[in-house]
Amino acid sequence: GNSVTQMEGPVTLSEEAFLTINCTYTATGYPSLFWYVQYPGEGLQLLLKATKADDKGSNKGFEATYRKETTSFHLEKGSVQVSDSAVYFCALKNNGNQFYFGTGTSLTVIP
Amino acid sequence: EAGVAQSPRYKIIEKRQSVAFWCNPISGHATLYWYQQILGQGPKLLIQFQNNGVVDDSQLPKDRFSAERLKGVDSTLKIQPAKLEDSAVYLCASSFPALLSGVNTGELFFGEGSRLTVL
C-alpha cells in the first residue's frame, strides 16, 4: 500500500537554527513526493516537490532530496525564521493521481 | 488566476442535521478531491473525481456522506445526518490531469477549507 510517516512534533527552534523534519514513505510503483505547508489561518500550499529518485526539490531556502534507497524525503533548512512557523505535511502521489499525506509536523520558531 | 473556491468557510450544526459544502476548482483542472482534516491530523481523502466520474471513494462513509460533480466542474459534498466525529475541516483540491503534462508531477491546489463543528 501507500503511506507516509513523518516526524512527530511539535518542533520548537530558535531563529537561525537548522531544521530537519523526517519523512519516509511506502509506495508501489514510482511516486512523486511533496512537502506542503499550512501557515496559521491559511490553506495548504505546495512548498516543494520531487518527481524521481535523486531529484532535489527546493523553495524559500527549504530543500528535500528524493532518496529511493532509504524511501525518504526529509525536509531541511539551514537557518529558520519566525515566518517559517507553520505545519508541514509530507505527501506522495502515486500513478493513479492519488495523494497520501503524513500527519503533519508543527514548527514554531522563536526570536 | 483564481484559486480553488470553497464555501461556506465555517458551519456549526447540531448532530443529526445535514450540511453541504461547495467547491469550484481552478479552471481547466479535471481532477477534484475532497479531503477531511481532523484537528492534529493530515488530510484524509474522501473522494476523487476525474471530470464528472468517481475515481476513488473507498474512504467515503457512504451511509452519511455523498458527493457529486455533475458537469465536471464544481462539486458538492453533503453530510446527512452529521455526527460529532464529523467535526473537521473539509478541504477541496484540484490538479492538472497527469496525461496533459505527460509527466507524473501534477501537484494539488487547495482551497481554504470549510470548517465544520458538530454540536
Side-chain angles (χ1 to χ4, degrees):
Chain A
N2 298 284
S3 66
V4 175
T5 302
Q6 67 180 99
M7 167 180 168
E8 291 195 13
V11 174
T12 302
L13 294 173
S14 297
E15 208 165 20
E16 300 183 2
F18 183 84
L19 168 71
T20 301
I21 301 178
N22 290 337
C23 171
T24 56
Y25 68 90
T26 302
T28 52
Y30 303 97
S32 295
L33 301 174
F34 303 82
W35 277 99
Y36 278 82
V37 58
Q38 188 171 30
Y39 297 104
E42 299 184 16
L44 278 83
Q45 55 188 276
L46 179 69
L47 179 60
L48 53 84
K49 66 182 181 184
T51 60
K52 61 183 186 298
D54 299 325
D55 269 4
K56 178 185 283 188
S58 61
N59 186 26
K60 299 182 181 180
F62 290 88
E63 292 183 341
T65 301
Y66 188 166
R67 301 283 187 203
K68 192 166 185 286
E69 63 277 11
T70 55
T71 61
S72 65
F73 193 54
H74 305 320
L75 182 68
E76 296 182 337
K77 187 174 184 181
S79 175
V80 293
Q81 305 301 311
V82 172
S83 57
D84 294 326
S85 298
V87 181
Y88 293 82
F89 293 92
C90 185
L92 73 82
K93 184 179 104 157
N94 65 12
N95 291 336
N97 287 335
Q98 293 160 323
F99 285 78
Y100 298 83
F101 286 83
T103 53
T105 302
S106 175
L107 170 67
T108 300
V109 180
I110 54 177
Chain B
E1 178 183 80
V4 177
Q6 289 190 247
S7 66
R9 288 293 310 279
Y10 305 93
K11 189 75 176 178
I12 300 174
I13 62 173
E14 295 189 348
K15 59 183 178 183
R16 291 188 289 274
Q17 288 187 323
S18 63
V19 63
F21 301 113
W22 173 83
C23 171
N24 191 27
I26 293 173
S27 177
H29 282 198
T31 311
L32 184 148
Y33 308 75
W34 283 102
Y35 284 88
Q36 180 192 58
Q37 187 178 18
I38 293 173
L39 187 65
Q41 299 181 18
K44 170 190 158 188
L45 179 68
L46 292 176
I47 189 166
Q48 176 185 346
F49 292 95
Q50 179 76 15
N51 297 308
N52 60 352
V54 175
V55 174
D56 182 1
D57 64 356
S58 57
Q59 297 191 80
L60 186 74
K62 298 182 185 64
D63 57 334
R64 298 184 299 105
F65 286 65
S66 64
E68 60 183 15
R69 193 185 185 199
L70 292 176
K71 297 182 180 178
V73 181
D74 56 350
S75 175
T76 303
L77 176 71
K78 296 180 181 177
I79 307 173
Q80 181 179 12
K83 292 185 174 181
L84 297 177
E85 60 260 37
D86 298 332
S87 294
V89 177
Y90 291 86
L91 299 168
C92 180
S94 67
S95 71
F96 292 114
L99 289 176
L100 279 185
S101 68
V103 183
N104 189 22
T105 63
E107 66 255 35
L108 286 178
F109 294 83
F110 282 90
E112 291 185 319
S114 296
R115 181 178 297 277
L116 173 66
T117 301
V118 182
L119 303 176

